Every structure is written in structure tokens, then in C-alpha cells.
Amino acid sequence: MLKSNTLRPGKGINSDTRVYHMRMIKSMGVGESIVFYYPRMIAVHNMNEKVGVMDPKSGRVFLPSLVRDSYARLNPTGAYLLENGHKMYFWLGHEIPAQFLLDVFGVQTLDEVNPNQRHLPELDTMTSSQLRMIRTYMQAQRGRYLDLVIIRQGKDQPEHEMSNLLVEDKNNEAMSYVDYLPTIHRMIQTEVTTRPHEVHTSIWSR
């Protein structure tokens, strides 16, 4: 939450942007706010035949396992979808195999991928069908249209925008998740040491 445009420090965000995000957050339900603060990211470069297929009984689509929101989790040979309830980012590593590009975009090199396209091509391949089904299913779970933003690693400007959503990293003038945990731990230890009776009572009262 501290890394969102409502609370993050610094002069890089003007008051209009803060007010817009404050009003937007007030209108969100719990489910929408969860994915807004901690975007959903999945790897789509190594999917088995069960992924992206709808169960006729439940209407659910099997998705790949979630990936933690950190740049360290992005493999340069892979491809990832990240969505925060407002946009969907399709990140392509700079070493992505040519076969994946051929199956999804109909091209063989990363330079041939058009980053301005807002829809995935309808190709007669399993990977293309799986990705389009996943995108449709994710879209159906959101109340607003998810703009598709294609990002080629090290080539496209929106990569910086996406990196700000990787909340486990050190960004937006705030510490990383790894640094944040011991900081919270030290704060708790300080409270326990300086006010043991009050903290003990407070914990048990919850």
C-alpha cells in the first residue's frame, strides 16, 4: 500500500493523480483492491496441456501457478502476464525462444513483435489458444477493460511502469519486501522490550 500512488512519498506524483487514485480505491471491493495492491503474475512460457482450458462443469479456466512480484523472478528466456485490475502486461524476456514467438505472434525474433498491438493474434497453435483463453478469463473477472501492454525486455518504455508494480522489489522510494520484514520485526522487538506488559496485553486482547 505504501508503494501505491495514494501513499508513496516524493514529488513525482502530483495532487490530481493522488486524488484520482484515492477516489478510485474508495470505490473498489476487497477482491479488486487485493490485486491492485499486489498484482497477479503468472508464467506463460512453459504451459502444459491443461492450462488455458475451460472446465465445462465449473466454467473455470486452469491457470499457471502465481509468481511472486519481483524482477528477480522473471526469467529472460520466459514470458509472463501481470495484471492489476486495470492493465495487463505481457512481458517477453530478451532470450525468449523463437518457437514461442512464432506460436504466439507469428514472428521469429523479438524485434519483429509489434509492442503497440493491443490484441493477441488468433493463430492455429496451442500456445496461442491457451494465452487468448487466459486473457479472456482474467478479463471476465474484472469490472473494467484490461488494456494489453506488450513489453520486450530492455526495449520498451512501459517496462519501467511494470517494474513499479513489482512490489516485492525496492522501488517507488520504498524498501523491498525482504528489507521490510526485518524492519517490522525490529519494531515489534522494540515494543516488546520497552513496553512488555502493554504489548502482551494488546496481543492477547486480539
Side-chain angles (χ1 to χ4, degrees):
M1 292 176 68
L2 294 174
K3 293 182 178 182
S4 70
N5 286 338
T6 55
L7 298 176
R8 60 185 270 199
K11 299 180 180 179
I13 302 177
N14 59 46
S15 58
D16 288 340
T17 301
R18 288 193 191 279
V19 170
Y20 167 76
H21 280 87
M22 287 178 183
R23 291 183 177 276
M24 179 178 64
I25 289 171
K26 282 185 176 181
S27 67
M28 289 181 182
V30 174
E32 189 179 0
S33 65
I34 289 174
V35 76
F36 178 76
Y37 286 123
Y38 194 97
R40 175 167 56 167
M41 184 163 67
I42 58 175
V44 294
H45 53 275
N46 191 24
M47 299 182 287
N48 61 44
E49 66 277 2
K50 295 181 180 180
V51 173
V53 177
M54 180 175 290
D55 185 333
K57 294 182 179 179
S58 65
R60 297 177 65 103
V61 173
F62 185 74
L63 299 178
S65 300
L66 292 174
V67 179
R68 291 171 61 175
D69 289 348
S70 172
Y71 203 87
R73 304 283 175 171
L74 301 180
N75 191 323
T77 64
Y80 301 81
L81 284 177
L82 179 145
E83 66 98 4
N84 68 342
H86 296 263
K87 289 184 180 182
M88 180 176 291
Y89 298 86
F90 190 12
W91 187 90
L92 303 168
H94 62 77
E95 297 178 13
I96 189 79
Q99 187 60 52
F100 181 88
L101 297 177
L102 192 62
D103 290 344
V104 177
F105 297 100
V107 300
Q108 293 185 323
T109 66
L110 204 56
D111 289 332
E112 294 178 273
V113 175
N114 178 11
N116 297 315
Q117 59 187 306
R118 292 294 176 259
H119 300 280
L120 296 174
E122 295 187 18
L123 303 180
D124 189 20
T125 66
M126 174 177 275
T127 306
S128 174
S129 177
Q130 288 174 305
L131 275 172
R132 286 184 284 109
M133 176 58 77
I134 289 172
R135 172 163 163 71
T136 300
Y137 183 64
M138 284 184 163
Q139 177 61 68
Q141 296 176 320
R142 304 296 170 222
R144 66 182 73 207
Y145 181 74
L146 301 175
D147 285 328
L148 180 66
V149 182
I150 295 174
I151 300 171
R152 301 168 300 172
Q153 183 183 11
K155 293 179 179 290
D156 300 315
Q157 189 276 332
E159 187 169 21
H160 175 71
E161 181 180 321
M162 176 179 162
S163 68
N164 286 335
L165 300 179
L166 300 177
V167 293
E168 291 202 15
D169 293 338
K170 183 178 180 180
N171 54 28
N172 292 335
E173 301 184 43
M175 65 184 71
S176 69
Y177 181 66
V178 174
D179 294 332
Y180 188 68
L181 286 181
T183 299
I184 295 297
H185 180 70
R186 285 194 297 270
M187 291 172 61
I188 294 174
Q189 288 297 106
T190 301
E191 289 290 312
V192 172
T193 303
T194 57
R195 298 186 301 165
H197 176 72
E198 293 179 31
V199 174
H200 179 80
T201 303
S202 175
I203 291 175
W204 281 104
S205 67
R206 296 173 186 174

